[in-house]
Amino acid sequence: MTDVNLRERSSLQLAITDAASLTAEQTLARLASGTGGLTGEDAAARLLELGPNAVRTHRANSWAVLGRQFASPILILLIVTAGLSLFLGDATNSIVIGVILLASVGLGFANEYRAERASEALHSRVTHKAAVQRDGTTTEVDVTALVPGDVVHLSLGAIVPADIRLLTTNNLLCDESILTGESQAAAKDPAPVPGGASLADLASCVFMGTVIQSGGCSGVVVATGGRAEFGRIALGLGERQPQTEFQLGLKRFSFLLLQVAVVLTSLIFVANLLLQRPLLESLLFSLAIAVGITPQLLPAVVSTSLATGTRQLAKQKVLVKRLVCIEDLGDMDILVTDKTGTLTEGKISFTHALPATEGMSDAGLLTLGLLATEANYAGAKVSSAGQNPPDAALWESPGAAAFDPARFERLDLIGFDHQRRRTTALVSEAGGPALLVTKGAPEDVLALCAPITLAAQALLDEQFDAGSRVVAVATRPAAGLSRLTRADEQDLTLAGFLVFLDRPKANARQSLDRLEALGISVKLATGDNAKVAERVCADLDVISGGTLTGAEVEGMSDADLAAAARTATIFARVSPEQKARIITLLRQSGGAVGFMGDGVNDALALHKADIGISVDTATDVAKDAADVVLLDKDLGVLADGVMEGRRIFANTIKYVLMGTSSNFGNMFSAATASVVLSFLPMLPGQILLNNLLYDSGQLAIPGDRVDKEQLRAPSHWNIAFIRRFMLLFGPISSLFDFATFALMLVVFTAVPGEFRAGWFIESIATQTLIIFAIRTRRVPFLRSRPSAGLLSASLGVVALGVFLPLSPLAGVLGFDPLPVPFFLALLGMVVVYLVLVELAKQWFFARDAQQLPAPPPPVRRRHATHHISRRAFRFSIPARVPPLKVHAARGRAVGWRRARRGRPGRNL
């Protein structure tokens, strides 16, 4: 084997367990990489060889969508029965049923596939980046383009983009709960581990899908895609997403209809057999009743609603990463938001330096601030990518141009973490004695200094009262010191304050007003000083329910904090972990919690929220963690997104209520008539045609208008409410069906063909036109106008329903011509029906509001697979991802959990 082949083989194949036991240098050598990473040419070759770092595809799959249309057991039974009918010689009825079924499948396919294409376009617009060493410089690439051998830099809140062997760490803690189920973070260190260690004991590695909870690191990519541990689990779960609360509600509703359908069709089938009617005819009729009572196009209506909502939000510059995120937006009733980039402009700018000691100049204080940044001095002047906003603002300030990195040597560094809230550097200028420089939150830095003067304290208070963001800088001589420990951070001398400004957004107050009008409680969580947060709220006229500081949060039990969090408005000086804890407790109290943030510090909370929201100007870590990204600085689009989510739910409920009232009533009427009459009241094909026409008209519901009062609070599934609605309006529909039966038999002495034609027309007219009453709690047309699309679709369906029994197809469909007086009587009956429905509606909703309040929303209990699938979609490409065996992925996941349970010493 040639050296080239050996090099190619070693650079592409290395197990994570083997890498963990090797030194960092040995791992780089095995992967044919170095501390400067790969060249662009090498990375491209490896990507071509190994494929993308992906575990999901967002490509629209037409065959999968088509297969879902045939997944209904009832539909399959009808297809089989239609084939049997054809085999037994009833060709006409078989062809009619076949055409209707194909039309129904076609409608469902067209609408669901359109929604899938919308989802594909949506995912293609979303990118997730990672900071990588390529060609010796730090650059950002899409996470799906990572390959083994890439050297990656990770900071607080970042999602680990692949299985990585650590090269350097800085107080690194990693949240591995997505793999292990453990809530406590795991400490990481680049030192090799003994050979044969279990996956959970690989402290020298971080794994795809886990989150950097504290500190930072650099490492070399060892495994990507399905070869990574998280990738194996994600692929084992398959491509289908876990069901949301909205989808679970649909499932419960479908189960309700299934119960009704099974009872009704069984009774009909038995009754028709007892009446000695043909077996095939009885079976077809019973199955047609079952199909008629179920809203077959409900998945298509929901998919169309979501796709329509996505397009509307895109026009308003709101990017949702998954279609179901729109549902979560509408469900939100608590919004916890960070201050920076959400209530403020999000562009932190360095304004000036305030020296606090004699002999310290503004330029000298700025130089000390630059020395205490974590970025490489030479690289930071070229690019601020990957830096935290204050450090980036310092390097982008005009004064930083005079900084000469060649004059200084960094001897050691203790990076920023959210317990210490400061960065400490040990530097030497021009080979002189070492100097220790600390930069961080004023409260924490001042605690390490000798007592400061009243003038310095007054200077700091003045900046806080003005709403400025302040960073304190302190120093002390450190001659002879070459390595830093936390114990060295003491006996400091305050050098001064660096002042930053992040102005409140001009339209933030208006946006907050809109959110509050939607029933959303808005809370502020920030790492800034309490005075700064309170000043921002005061500038925006936010009425505060109280302030909790990070120190107070730390001392509270979960029960006490949950109670306090429900009333407090401001959480100040809270760490990322505390933000995540607050979000978790608010969720456990029963609320649907959204979190909006744009900084590195917000990533943990974004992961914990029901719906994570960020802005386009946010840090890459925050945008990666968010489910929804606002593409401009207008926070009012968030209110638009909430309204869109609620509009989708409201329009879906319209379809559901129609299906449980008119469908149930009509099918109950058909069941009763089939027993009483000497002939079937409607042929199976006619029932299916009626249902197809009705459902087709309702595909316009997703674009319908929604009354403002329906958007003021989140709506939740209430099966008891739907059942009560069905038991009231279903019998009203049946009452008018029986009146039509009497009219046809007594007044017009109709033969079977005329009877079926008359009831077909009356049925399609009443169950289609009832949408105008059900779609609103107001008086229809006068106080609530339907959309033009719904109006034209409904009237078009009624017109077609009237035309078919009079058309040349009438004979084929089993209809006979009707006398003209019937249509006059029908017009009167429809008017009376709609008036009666309107009166019943007003009584029902008044009684429901007074005596039968909706139950509180349940506390969300999401399974681990939900979080895995949600996380996996950042590793998504518009192409097929080769699947792995499911049992292998499951076995590996179980092994993770067993290993962690057996070694409590790893938890910190």
Side-chain angles (χ1 to χ4, degrees), residues 133-459:
Q133 290 290 122
R134 291 271 176 93
D135 296 310
T137 60
T138 302
T139 185
E140 291 185 340
V141 302
D142 196 292
V143 294
T144 59
L146 291 178
V147 295
D150 268 328
V151 174
V152 179
H153 300 281
L154 301 173
S155 58
L156 174 71
I159 292 180
V160 179
D163 281 359
I164 293 173
R165 170 60 167 90
L166 294 171
L167 302 178
T168 63
T169 61
N170 178 24
N171 301 315
L172 182 63
L173 295 177
C174 194
D175 178 1
E176 296 181 340
S177 58
I178 195 78
L179 294 174
T180 66
E182 296 285 347
S183 60
Q184 292 178 303
K188 298 292 182 176
D189 186 272
V193 300
S198 67
L199 288 170
D201 288 313
L202 303 185
S204 59
C205 300
V206 290
F207 298 92
M208 173 192 273
T210 60
V211 180
I212 304 299
Q213 182 167 309
S214 178
C217 66
S218 66
V220 59
V221 173
V222 174
T224 58
R227 292 172 293 277
E229 300 306 317
F230 176 84
R232 290 189 178 98
I233 297 171
L235 287 176
L237 295 177
E239 290 289 346
R240 297 292 289 174
Q241 297 185 54
Q243 291 182 316
T244 64
E245 296 296 317
F246 184 84
Q247 292 165 325
L248 289 173
L250 284 177
K251 185 177 181 179
R252 290 191 294 269
F253 165 69
S254 300
F255 183 70
L256 169 66
L257 288 186
L258 179 62
Q259 290 177 308
V260 175
V262 167
V263 172
L264 199 56
T265 52
S266 299
L267 291 175
I268 293 170
F269 183 65
V270 171
N272 276 269
L273 289 181
L274 292 176
L275 292 172
Q276 298 183 341
R277 289 174 179 162
L279 174 63
L280 180 61
E281 183 181 81
S282 300
L283 179 61
L284 275 171
F285 183 75
S286 300
L287 291 175
I289 290 292
V291 172
I293 202 172
T294 56
Q296 293 179 46
L297 295 185
L298 181 58
V301 169
V302 174
S303 299
T304 303
S305 294
L306 292 174
T308 301
T310 301
R311 291 191 294 271
Q312 291 298 323
L313 289 176
K315 292 178 183 177
Q316 297 162 355
K317 298 185 179 181
V318 179
L319 178 62
V320 291
K321 295 184 178 180
R322 297 169 297 133
L323 288 180
V324 295
C325 293
I326 302 177
E327 302 166 5
D328 290 331
L329 264 179
D331 208 27
M332 181 173 64
D333 51 20
I334 299 174
L335 173 65
V336 181
T337 176
D338 182 44
K339 174 177 63 64
T340 305
T342 53
L343 298 181
T344 62
E345 292 179 352
K347 179 60 177 177
I348 296 177
S349 57
F350 172 69
T351 59
H352 58 281
L354 294 176
T357 58
E358 293 184 6
M360 179 62 65
S361 65
D362 292 2
L365 183 57
L366 174 59
T367 297
L368 290 175
L370 294 173
L371 290 172
T373 57
E374 296 185 38
N376 175 273
Y377 297 154
K381 294 192 67 174
V382 177
S383 172
S384 59
Q387 299 180 40
N388 63 63
D391 282 359
L394 283 179
W395 285 108
E396 293 169 0
S397 66
F403 180 82
D404 181 9
R407 289 174 49 203
F408 300 95
E409 179 186 2
R410 178 183 290 168
L411 305 177
D412 200 7
L413 176 78
I414 301 178
F416 181 88
D417 64 67
H418 290 274
Q419 284 74 40
R420 295 163 49 254
R421 293 189 295 185
R422 58 184 177 268
T423 302
T424 298
L426 185 66
V427 298
S428 172
E429 181 178 1
L435 178 70
L436 184 147
V437 184
T438 294
K439 172 170 65 68
E443 297 93 330
D444 296 274
V445 172
L446 294 182
L448 304 175
C449 297
I452 65 170
T453 64
L454 294 177
Q457 185 64 54
L459 195 63

Side-chain angles (χ1 to χ4, degrees), residues 483-503:
R483 299 289 296 174
L484 282 177
T485 66
R486 295 189 180 188
D488 296 318
E489 298 175 320
Q490 60 180 337
D491 300 327
L492 305 180
T493 299
L494 178 67
F497 305 107
L498 301 173
V499 182
F500 302 84
L501 184 62
D502 188 13
R503 295 179 177 85

